[in-house]
């Protein structure tokens, strides 16, 4: 019975199309995440089109991919530098770039969006692409915090829409959260799970709830670390050391906040507070607000909780 209910929830029907085997991938957004996802997809034999708003940005994306591939190859092909170089060239051949999302999606099995974390902009993008992509094409978002059902609501492919949430840095982090809404079909969900596995990642199944699994637990933790520091209960350095050596996290909460970007973390928390103002887990932090207002957003601006220049 439980199994049956699950199938209904995912919109399974006997006439539904079979699972889509994902070979051609369009990734919209060539920033931190999009470039990383493109690299991993191309490294695992997919044909990737990376889309952004300008050729200059796309040139930077390819440079990032090249730099990251060099780091991967240094380890993977430590004794065979020529094979390593061959691997890099092969991977780069699998990636093409475009500033025209509409044309790029026409031959795609999967359109994965990793653009700015703004609901309206994501909705507009998918609404436009919905009219241009083939019927079988699956749409997915890499959003950190927005409901997938809100992003998909402007399309007519609710059954072929899900979430694929990767982690930064994508080439190193093994997890992918696969998110199904109440309309995502079982076939779509399975295709996304399979795709994650083919990328060499470990997928976990998530509901379309705020922050899915990881961010729902981790964003309040990062904020509580800042509040603990604000209360004068520990220095930033000691809190970072404590979490690294006490529970084995690779980065302490202040290092990780700077790495992700304080604006991103604050944006997520502000959104959740708006939805649930009485939840004390979502309480603000004066220091976080002040640093973001001053443009001290972390590593990317040279200063956040720590200085990087
Ligand atoms: C969650 C809160 C809310 C956020 C909301 C938005 C965010 C999200 O929605 C979800 C997220 O992504 S949350 C962030 C998740 N990521 C983490 O927690 C990263 C934690 N840090 C680490 O795992 C390691 O420090 C790390 C792997 C980064 C680096 O390793 P190490 O600490 O050992 O330092 P390194 O010496 O620099 O690196 C060691 C070797 O790792 C390889 N590597 C690192 N970055 C790479 C990259 N980008 N590409 C390819 N290879 C890379 C590399 O082999 C490096 O060796 P070298 O190249 O010789 O240095
Ligand atoms: N940074 C992180 O640690 C993580 C971020 N995410 C999510 O991934 C998404 C992207 O994040 P980042 O890569 O960090 O952002 P980013 O700012 O590094 O890159 C976003 C890219 O999208 C491009 N872009 C914006 N609007 C566009 C449009 N309409 N069409 C084509 N390209 C467009 C921008 O030019 C930029 O290159 C966001 O939804 C974010 O919440 C998810 C996991 C981790």
């Amino acid at each position: 019975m439980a199994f049956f209910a699950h199938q209904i929830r995912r919109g399974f029907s006997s006439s539904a199309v079979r699972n889509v085997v994902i070979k051609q991938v369009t990734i919209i957004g060539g920033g931190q995440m999009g470039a990383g996802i493109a690299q991993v997809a191309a490294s695992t034999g997919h044909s990737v089109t990376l889309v952004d708003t300008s050729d200059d940005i796309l040139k930077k994306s390819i440079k990032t991919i090249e730099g990251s591939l060099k780091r991967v190859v240094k380890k993977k092909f430590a004794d065979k530098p020529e094979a390593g170089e061959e691997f890099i060239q092969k991977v780069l051949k699998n990636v093409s770039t475009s500033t025209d999302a509409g044309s790029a999606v026409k031959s795609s099995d999967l359109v994965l969006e990793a653009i700015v974390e703004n609901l309206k902009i994501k909705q507009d993008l998918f609404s436009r692409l919905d009219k241009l992509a083939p019927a079988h094409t699956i749409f997915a978002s890499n959003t950190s915090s927005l409901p997938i059902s809100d992003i998909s609501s402007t399309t007519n492919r609710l059954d072929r829409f899900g979430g694929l949430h990767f982690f930064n840095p994508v080439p190193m982090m093994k997890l992918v959260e696969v998110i199904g809404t109440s309309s995502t079909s079982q076939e779509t969900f399975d295709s996304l799970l399979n795709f994650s596995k083919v990328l060499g990642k470990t997928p976990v199944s998530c509901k379309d709830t705020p922050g899915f699994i990881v961010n729902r637990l981790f964003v309040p933790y990062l904020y509580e670390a800042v509040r603990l520091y604000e209360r004068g209960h520990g220095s930033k350095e000691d809190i970072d050391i404590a979490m690294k050596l006490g529970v084995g996290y690779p980065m302490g909460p202040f290092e990780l906040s700077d790495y992700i970007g304080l604006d991103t973390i604050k944006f997520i928390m502000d959104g959740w507070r708006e939805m649930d103002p009485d939840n004390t887990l979502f309480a603000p932090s004066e220091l976080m607000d002040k640093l973001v207002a001053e443009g001290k957003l972390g590593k990317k601006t040279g200063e956040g909780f720590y200085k990087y220049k």
Side-chain angles (χ1 to χ4, degrees):
M1 185 65 196
F3 175 75
F4 185 62
H6 178 72
Q7 299 295 359
I8 297 275
R9 189 180 64 71
R10 294 211 184 284
F12 181 88
S13 81
S14 55
S15 63
V17 288
R18 62 191 162 74
N19 291 2
V20 172
V21 178
I22 296 167
K23 296 223 176 294
Q24 308 257 354
V25 185
T26 299
I27 295 167
I28 321 271
Q32 270 193 94
M33 297 304 292
I37 300 165
Q39 176 186 331
V40 173
S43 299
T44 46
H46 299 86
S47 168
V48 178
T49 307
L50 187 57
V51 177
D52 211 300
T53 50
S54 79
D55 286 324
D56 279 351
I57 297 177
L58 287 164
K59 265 187 205 141
K60 259 177 89 182
S61 313
I62 297 295
K63 270 229 138 62
T64 303
I65 294 175
E66 242 183 307
S68 176
L69 281 171
K70 279 186 185 148
R71 294 173 80 176
V72 171
V73 154
K74 214 168 77 187
K75 292 228 170 87
K76 212 171 152 186
F77 296 90
D79 305 329
K80 301 178 206 141
E82 275 165 26
E85 186 50 38
E86 218 172 274
F87 175 75
I88 292 178
Q89 293 315 320
K90 202 169 136 201
V91 173
L92 289 174
K93 258 200 192 145
N94 285 345
V95 185
S96 58
T97 58
S98 170
T99 53
D100 181 359
S103 304
V105 301
K106 283 187 179 147
S107 54
S108 281
D109 302 315
L110 171 69
V111 176
L112 176 55
E113 165 275 314
I115 65 169
V116 59
E117 187 78 337
N118 176 301
L119 180 60
K120 175 83 173 57
I121 299 177
K122 287 186 195 283
Q123 284 177 332
D124 287 351
L125 174 79
F126 278 121
S127 156
R128 188 163 69 83
L129 299 183
D130 189 31
K131 296 172 190 86
L132 300 167
H136 80 278
T137 307
I138 294 174
F139 283 7
S141 172
N142 183 52
T143 179
S144 304
S145 66
L146 301 169
I148 302 295
S149 53
D150 286 356
I151 300 172
S152 63
S153 65
T154 52
T155 71
N156 288 315
R157 61 179 80 214
L158 302 186
D159 56 331
R160 283 149 290 150
F161 208 120
L164 268 185
H165 185 220
F166 288 81
F167 291 80
N168 189 17
V170 181
M172 297 303 296
M173 305 301 283
K174 293 279 173 232
L175 183 70
V176 177
E177 291 179 325
V178 179
I179 302 112
T181 71
S182 56
S183 306
T184 308
S185 72
Q186 190 65 48
E187 288 78 7
T188 298
F189 195 80
D190 289 345
S191 294
L192 293 175
L193 276 178
N194 284 339
F195 175 65
S196 310
K197 287 181 194 160
V198 174
L199 295 185
K201 304 293 183 193
T202 302
V204 290
S205 303
C206 294
K207 306 280 182 205
D208 189 21
T209 53
F212 317 125
I213 296 175
V214 172
N215 287 350
R216 181 63 182 78
L217 294 173
F218 229 67
V219 176
Y221 150 74
L222 294 181
Y223 256 75
E224 188 53 18
V226 184
R227 290 190 291 256
L228 191 140
Y229 168 63
E230 283 176 310
R231 290 194 297 268
H233 293 175
S235 69
K236 287 178 284 196
E237 291 77 6
D238 278 352
I239 296 170
D240 276 347
I241 289 171
M243 296 312 289
K244 285 192 282 190
L245 302 189
V247 282
Y249 288 177
M251 289 177 174
F254 295 96
E255 291 169 328
L256 185 58
S257 296
D258 278 355
Y259 183 70
I260 294 166
L262 307 194
D263 52 338
T264 305
I265 297 165
K266 178 175 149 51
F267 176 86
I268 294 173
M269 197 52 127
D270 289 351
W272 291 354
R273 191 176 319 111
E274 232 168 75
M275 285 193 300
D276 189 0
D278 298 327
N279 193 333
T280 50
L281 283 175
F282 303 158
S285 144
E286 263 181 40
L287 178 58
M288 190 72 105
D289 290 350
K290 179 173 171 286
L291 290 171
V292 172
E294 289 170 356
K296 294 176 180 164
L297 308 181
K299 264 192 146 165
K300 62 185 170 189
T301 60
E303 185 174 350
F305 289 110
Y306 297 114
K307 284 199 168 99
Y308 298 90
K309 279 180 203 158

